[in-house]
């Protein structure tokens, strides 16, 4: 994967809240000094109508493509795992998101720990990190903060908004909170609500972190963070990202960890060792308070409230009225966002007569397929991004195939 | 459910290790004073050939049927949840396990906390509970300990052994470690190995408990036990027992817990409150060190090693040679032991030409169906238990239906 990285990138910073333009969180908190860390790839054209906003997944960063050696202020967390863009296989010249044609923007979510303002940022009032005092963040807050970034970049209307996994939940927010700001909406391996299973899995992760002896209500010191709790949270989620067969395959190559790695438990199997390794790797690059904010965002996801409507029909009527086109991807082996969830999203779009194309990819990689198998997504992504303005005849005029077609 | 309880029961105790007959655990530990708490229902006949041994599930007790007010030595854990037998809908006069015909035995697993020797028992060397010093227990240890109980009861050959969930894993152990001791083998909502998913889910539970600030390597005081860790473990497993739709339905009726119930976290949804309630209810009736022993039993389940063979074929050849008959139940909505797992077990039995009947019940209750819906299991259980000795013509003589049958 790293061999394909063809360019280097650098984080940029946008101050999206100032004393003159404070930012009001859904929680009621107001802050007047907030920064988003973001990256861009490609060139914004003169009409500023070739921009694609990309939302990252749960623990993602603004660094979607290329190679980035470091990001100011995140030195201890910018591990080797972070240096190669997480969607590098999809972004670049001639790739699915073609940087010769499009201007792609990806920003670290508000509350993040990769240069965007969040719990690890210094609170000027105390000189210490905000920690638990940083406000909770909703998906609507994240979208509003990124629309401020679009304003600063002079982009009135996105060619497309695109999100994978929980990033897909944010695309729905943007499309229905700011319908006039986007043309194409692309949601991959995502859905339209927080299912019971997701809620339970995320809730477990919250408790795993908050019950760590080092958590201390979020007032932990960086040097004594709730590492095992955060590692356990990652393990709980990791098993929903990776196909179980793949976990078993990967675990075979795993060196058994020393038994004292976990304090009490005597490891009994290389699958346990593999998962523990995943957990510990994550702890090095992530902050527990930030993770809790992303969990909270997911648990309290409410696109109806964010768009100021009462029903799903009203929600998608907004998208219909704005003339959006949607592209929805399912992965048949996904058990983080199950295919039923995308089917539900597509049914809702169709009920509101929003044009939608729904593609299921067949993969043995589970949810992670959207990171690993560009060949399964690139044709439809590239086609849809390029054809969005070309007018095919309406579908009802294409119901009858010519006699010679079969 | 409680209305159907028609008789009262009392725990009995069998000393299955003495200085003259010490018990050697698979771990290498040897103990010479071990007690099993058990209950029996019905009457053992003069030939002692009408006995059914029932293995309980993960957190079950010896109290499978009827009403039991208390068990000596377990007063603080014998909560109202424990008083009604967990399989009362299946055991009694005229029920699936008919007490007018059969003598049913159920014992709390070695390492348990309901009267059987385990971490909560007093260590005579110290005068304090064994706690973490009680040996780890394998499923083979549990089976060996219960065969000692059968010896004491004078039962040479069981009419049937029956287990649900992880109890089904123990039926496979008994059938292949002591093949001459049983005739019918009944495995419900279980499998033949610890799958990757089960391993991950159980491993998470171990870490949840061991990372609780009160765990202290297992050296906790009863009054300051790792309650939140144990509650989290229960929540992680509970979501695999109950169908998600049912969790959602039940959660609607749940009173929102006070926010301080969890220390830091602000509950955002009644599903969270419901799960927390499940976790907290469990903590009242279970001991963390015991729970870890059951987890360990599941994680290290190895029926090949227990039976002293190398391959699955050799394992089931034991069952074939002993003339066992098997009955296997699957639940279509089960995602604790998925239907694929029973299918794998049945394929292995068929490969070794062991007579097996495989029944799938269709339920919206998930794994818990085997506790809640006796009507789905009773006909086949009763029929198989009664017909086991009646000789139907071999299946190959029944391939052709008579002309008049269709």
């Amino acid at each position: 994967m790293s061999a394909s990285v063809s360019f280097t990138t650098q984080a940029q910073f946008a101050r999206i809240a100032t004393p003159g333009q404070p930012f009001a969180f859904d929680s009621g908190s107001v802050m007047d000094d907030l920064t988003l860390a973001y990256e861009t790839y490609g060139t914004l054209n003169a009409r500023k109508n070739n921009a694609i906003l990309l939302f990252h997944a749960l623990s993602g960063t603004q660094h979607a493509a290329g190679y980035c050696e470091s990001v100011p202020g995140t030195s201890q967390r910018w591990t080797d795992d972070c240096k190669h863009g997480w969607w590098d296989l999809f972004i670049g010249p001639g790739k699915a998101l073609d940087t010769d044609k499009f201007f792609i923007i990806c920003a670290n979510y508000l509350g993040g720990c990769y240069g965007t303002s969040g719990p690890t940022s210094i609170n000027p009032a105390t000189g210490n990190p905000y920690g638990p005092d940083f406000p909770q963040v909703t998906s609507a807050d994240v979208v509003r903060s990124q629309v401020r970034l679009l304003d600063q970049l002079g982009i009135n209307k996105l060619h497309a908004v695109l999100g994978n996994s929980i990033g897909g939940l944010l695309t729905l927010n943007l499309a229905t909170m700011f319908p006039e700001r986007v043309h194409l909406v692309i949601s991959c391996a995502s859905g339209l609500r927080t299912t019971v299973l997701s809620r339970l899995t995320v809730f477990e992760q919250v408790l795993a972190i908050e019950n760590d002896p080092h958590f201390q209500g979020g007032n932990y010191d960086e040097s004594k963070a709730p590492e095992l709790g955060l590692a356990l949270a990652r393990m709980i989620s990791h098993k929903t990202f990776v196909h179980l067969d793949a976990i078993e395959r990967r675990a075979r190559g795993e060196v058994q960890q020393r038994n004292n790695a976990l304090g009490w438990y005597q490891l009994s199997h290389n699958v346990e060792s593999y998962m523990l390794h995943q957990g510990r790797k994550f702890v090095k690059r992530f902050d527990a308070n930030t993770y809790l904010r992303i969990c909270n965002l997911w648990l309290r996801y409410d696109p109806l409230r964010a768009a100021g409507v009462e029903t799903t029909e009203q929600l998608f009527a907004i998208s219909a009225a704005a003339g959006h086109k949607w592209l929805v991807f399912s992965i048949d082996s996904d058990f983080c966002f199950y295919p039923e969830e995308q089917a539900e999203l597509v049914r809702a779009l169709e009920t509101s007569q929003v044009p939608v194309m729904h593609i299921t990819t067949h993969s043995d990689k589970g949810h992670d397929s959207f990171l690993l198998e560009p060949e399964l997504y690139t044709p439809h992504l590239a086609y849809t991004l390029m054809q969005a303005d070309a007018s095919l005849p309406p579908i009802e005029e294409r119901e009858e195939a010519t006699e010679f077609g079969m």
Side-chain angles (χ1 to χ4, degrees), chain A:
Chain A
M1 181 167 165
S2 58
S4 72
V5 172
S6 51
F7 51 89
T8 61
T9 64
Q10 218 172 344
Q12 301 177 68
F13 298 90
R15 197 158 166 226
I16 56 99
T18 62
Q21 192 193 25
F23 185 91
F25 291 79
D26 273 338
S27 67
S29 296
V30 177
M31 291 179 77
D32 62 10
D33 184 9
L34 292 171
T35 297
L36 293 192
Y38 69 101
E39 289 189 15
T40 67
Y41 321 100
T43 309
L44 189 61
N45 65 15
R47 293 171 60 201
K48 300 195 172 185
N49 68 357
N50 68 332
I52 300 172
L53 180 65
L54 174 61
F55 288 120
H56 63 69
L58 191 71
S59 72
T61 74
Q62 67 277 13
H63 179 44
Y67 181 86
C68 179
E69 180 58 35
S70 66
V71 174
T74 69
S75 52
Q76 85 279 25
R77 259 186 298 280
W78 201 258
T79 65
D80 284 345
D81 286 326
C82 301
K83 290 178 182 170
H84 296 284
W86 55 266
W87 232 30
D88 194 67
L89 297 171
F90 289 75
I91 301 171
K95 295 186 183 176
L97 276 51
D98 190 340
T99 48
D100 289 340
K101 301 188 177 98
F102 298 108
F103 177 69
I104 298 118
I105 311 154
C106 186
N108 186 212
Y109 294 170
L110 195 57
C113 57
Y114 288 110
T116 284
S117 298
T120 61
S121 306
I122 298 299
N123 180 350
T126 65
N128 294 317
Y130 284 99
D133 297 333
F134 196 86
Q136 290 292 354
V137 178
T138 65
S139 63
D141 290 330
V142 171
V143 166
R144 271 190 292 266
S145 72
Q146 297 205 15
V147 167
R148 289 199 178 183
L149 170 62
L150 298 181
D151 291 342
Q152 293 189 16
L153 296 170
I155 297 164
N156 285 322
K157 184 161 190 165
L158 294 162
H159 181 62
V161 63
L162 194 165
N164 307 301
S165 193
I166 69 160
L169 301 179
L170 276 81
T171 65
L172 174 56
N173 276 139
L174 187 137
T176 52
M177 292 169 65
F178 299 95
E180 75 289 355
R181 302 293 295 252
V182 65
H183 177 54
L184 261 175
V185 185
I186 305 176
S187 174
C188 178
S190 189
L192 79 169
R193 62 192 178 99
T194 303
T195 62
V196 177
L197 183 58
S198 295
R199 182 176 301 285
L200 295 176
T201 309
V202 176
F203 185 48
E204 288 164 13
Q205 295 175 59
V206 170
L207 298 185
I209 293 169
E210 298 197 349
N211 197 38
D212 188 286
H214 297 307
F215 180 65
Q216 300 294 324
N219 290 300
Y220 51 84
D221 191 83
E222 284 272 344
S223 64
K224 212 178 169 188
E227 294 196 350
L228 192 45
L230 183 58
L232 174 54
R234 185 62 170 181
M235 292 158 65
I236 291 171
S237 63
H238 187 78
K239 78 171 180 299
T240 73
F241 300 154
V242 181
H243 196 281
L244 295 175
D245 292 347
I247 288 179
E248 202 164 21
R249 277 196 304 276
R250 293 186 198 178
R252 283 194 205 117
E254 184 69 20
V255 178
Q256 189 91 358
Q257 302 250 333
R258 298 242 311 281
N259 270 332
N260 66 359
L262 252 181
W264 325 109
Y265 182 69
Q266 305 284 309
L267 292 171
S268 71
H269 197 280
N270 54 5
V271 162
E272 297 162 19
S273 180
Y274 165 78
M275 290 304 277
L276 192 62
H277 174 67
Q278 293 300 320
R280 291 210 171 269
K281 202 169 66 167
F282 183 64
V283 164
K284 288 187 192 138
R285 74 169 184 86
F286 222 84
D287 167 62
N289 279 319
T290 289
Y291 197 77
L292 290 174
R293 269 144 194 78
I294 308 279
C295 287
N296 187 71
L297 178 159
W298 197 349
L299 287 171
R300 291 168 205 254
Y301 180 65
D302 187 347
L304 302 183
R305 184 174 167 224
V309 297
E310 302 277 324
T311 68
T312 307
E313 290 69 27
Q314 291 167 347
L315 186 71
F316 289 98
I318 295 172
S319 199
H324 296 156
K325 297 187 179 190
W326 280 68
L327 172 62
V328 175
F329 283 105
S330 294
I331 302 160
D332 66 345
S333 56
D334 193 342
F335 43 87
C336 182
F337 283 87
Y338 282 79
E340 288 80 356
E341 302 182 50
Q342 297 95 48
E344 187 185 5
L345 169 62
V346 168
R347 273 196 307 277
L349 286 161
E350 288 177 342
T351 299
S352 294
Q353 301 185 292
V354 181
V356 55
M357 190 177 303
H358 182 196
I359 304 295
T360 295
T361 66
H362 296 269
S363 170
D364 64 359
K365 304 223 178 310
H367 189 60
D368 269 2
S369 169
F370 77 79
L371 296 169
L372 301 170
E373 301 178 302
E375 61 278 16
L376 294 181
Y377 305 89
T378 294
H380 266 286
L381 282 173
Y383 178 87
T384 302
L385 288 168
M386 290 306 295
Q387 299 288 320
D389 293 319
S391 293
L392 283 172
I395 198 110
E396 56 273 22
E397 292 173 23
R398 285 183 281 140
E399 291 277 303
E400 248 180 89
T402 69
E403 270 192 63
F404 308 104
M406 292 292 285

